[in-house]
């Protein structure tokens, strides 16, 4: 299993540009999520999905869109990039969103710089 | 409103000694707590967890203690090794917010000196 994969690893955008961060998992996990990591702020939840066709907002959803058309993929879209979105983005997945906690597996991250 | 706080941004210890990383939380609905470890340029990896019905969980060199009345948990690493040098994140989840949704602390950079 490749686990959770993210592309690209690095990206530089200009203000106002759009892009999609890709995330895929091959573990048939039900739950997927996107976090951003900023210095001194830990990991903050952007959006999450409890299954194909179902998404919801996390702590910091503004400026980001997501969709979940398949179990495997959970792309994160920036429609009009802003410097405040400069961050490291992590995708994570877990087997289920129900009941007791299920361990989350993280991808290697995408480092995004918005100029 | 930071519901999970790690007040020490960094910690430095000597190899072989004990490392103690601390975490406080404010939301009484949290019932599951986890520690994740992160090396540079990698994603976080799960280290150890504890349910709110317990006060201690041990896994090899790693032990997590939970004090529910104080809303405080700590991670003990004994003995510390240079390979333990990483950022450690405390995280919490609650049934009301779905079992998988995590709230993270700011992280503590642990440096273990040879």
């Amino acid at each position: 299993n490749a686990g959770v994969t993210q592309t690209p690893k690095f990206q530089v955008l200009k203000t106002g540009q759009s892009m999609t961060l890709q995330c895929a998992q091959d573990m048939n996990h039900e739950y997927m999520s996107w976090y951003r990591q900023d210095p001194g702020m830990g990991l903050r939840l952007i959006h999450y999905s409890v299954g194909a066709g179902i998404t919801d907002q996390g702590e910091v959803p503004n400026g980001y869109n997501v969709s979940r058309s398949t179990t495997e993929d959970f792309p994160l879209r920036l429609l009009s990039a802003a410097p405040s979105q400069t961050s490291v983005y992590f995708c994570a997945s877990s087997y289920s969103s129900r009941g007791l906690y299920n361990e989350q597996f993280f991808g290697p991250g995408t480092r995004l710089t918005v100029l | 409103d930071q519901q999970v706080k790690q007040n020490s941004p960094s910690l430095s210890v000597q190899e072989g000694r004990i490392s103690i990383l601390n975490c406080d939380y404010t939301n009484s609905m949290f019932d599951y707590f986890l520690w994740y470890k992160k090396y540079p340029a990698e994603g976080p990896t799960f280290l150890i967890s504890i349910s709110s019905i317990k006060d201690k969980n041990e896994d090899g060199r790693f032990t997590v203690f939970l004090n529910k009345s104080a809303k405080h948990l700590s991670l003990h690493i004994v003995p510390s090794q240079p390979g333990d040098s990483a950022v450690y994140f405390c995280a919490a989840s609650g049934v009301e917010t779905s079992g998988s949704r995590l709230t993270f602390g700011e992280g503590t950079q642990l440096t273990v000196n040879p």
Side-chain angles (χ1 to χ4, degrees):
Chain A
N1 286 350
V4 180
T5 58
Q6 292 184 237
T7 56
K9 288 192 186 313
F10 302 95
Q11 183 70 48
V12 178
L13 293 178
K14 294 182 179 178
T15 296
Q17 287 185 314
S18 63
M19 79 159 296
T20 299
L21 280 63
Q22 301 291 346
C23 173
Q25 52 88 13
D26 60 359
M27 299 173 280
N28 200 32
H29 281 174
E30 183 177 270
Y31 183 91
M32 297 186 74
S33 55
W34 277 101
Y35 295 87
R36 58 178 289 174
Q37 183 194 3
D38 301 294
M41 304 193 74
L43 292 156
R44 292 182 293 168
L45 182 65
I46 304 172
H47 285 285
Y48 65 97
S49 168
V50 299
I54 306 170
T55 64
D56 206 347
Q57 296 180 350
E59 299 172 64
V60 288
N62 292 341
Y64 307 95
N65 282 346
V66 292
S67 60
R68 183 104 178 264
S69 56
T70 67
T71 299
E72 295 77 20
D73 301 298
F74 191 44
L76 179 72
R77 297 184 185 87
L78 285 70
L79 296 180
S80 179
S84 61
Q85 294 178 304
T86 294
S87 187
V88 182
Y89 291 85
F90 290 101
C91 179
S93 73
S94 64
Y95 177 72
S96 172
S97 63
R98 291 184 294 274
L100 292 177
Y101 174 78
N102 295 280
E103 178 186 343
Q104 289 198 31
F105 296 82
F106 284 81
T110 295
R111 183 175 294 275
L112 175 68
T113 301
V114 182
L115 302 175
Chain B
D1 176 27
Q2 189 72 16
Q3 297 186 65
V4 178
K5 284 198 67 63
Q6 295 175 254
N7 291 314
S8 299
S10 63
L11 175 67
S12 183
V13 300
Q14 286 299 119
E15 182 178 5
R17 305 294 293 270
I18 184 171
S19 295
I20 300 176
L21 294 89
N22 293 303
C23 178
D24 298 294
Y25 63 96
T26 58
N27 189 339
S28 58
M29 298 303 292
F30 288 146
D31 56 12
Y32 205 90
F33 304 89
L34 310 94
W35 287 92
Y36 277 79
K37 178 179 180 179
K38 185 185 178 305
Y39 292 117
E42 295 183 9
T45 54
F46 171 75
L47 184 59
I48 192 169
S49 64
I50 188 167
S51 164
S52 60
I53 63 173
K54 296 185 175 182
D55 55 18
K56 177 183 174 181
N57 188 27
E58 198 169 347
D59 184 2
R61 296 185 297 114
F62 303 91
T63 303
V64 56
F65 295 92
L66 175 63
N67 182 334
K68 282 185 64 179
S69 60
K71 293 191 176 66
H72 177 83
L73 64 155
S74 61
L75 174 68
H76 292 210
I77 306 174
V78 183
S80 300
Q81 299 173 353
D84 296 330
S85 297
V87 177
Y88 289 78
F89 290 101
C90 170
S93 73
V95 173
E96 68 162 9
T97 58
S98 130
S100 286
R101 180 168 169 172
L102 295 178
T103 301
F104 283 86
E106 304 92 329
T108 296
Q109 171 70 57
L110 173 66
T111 303
V112 181
N113 302 302

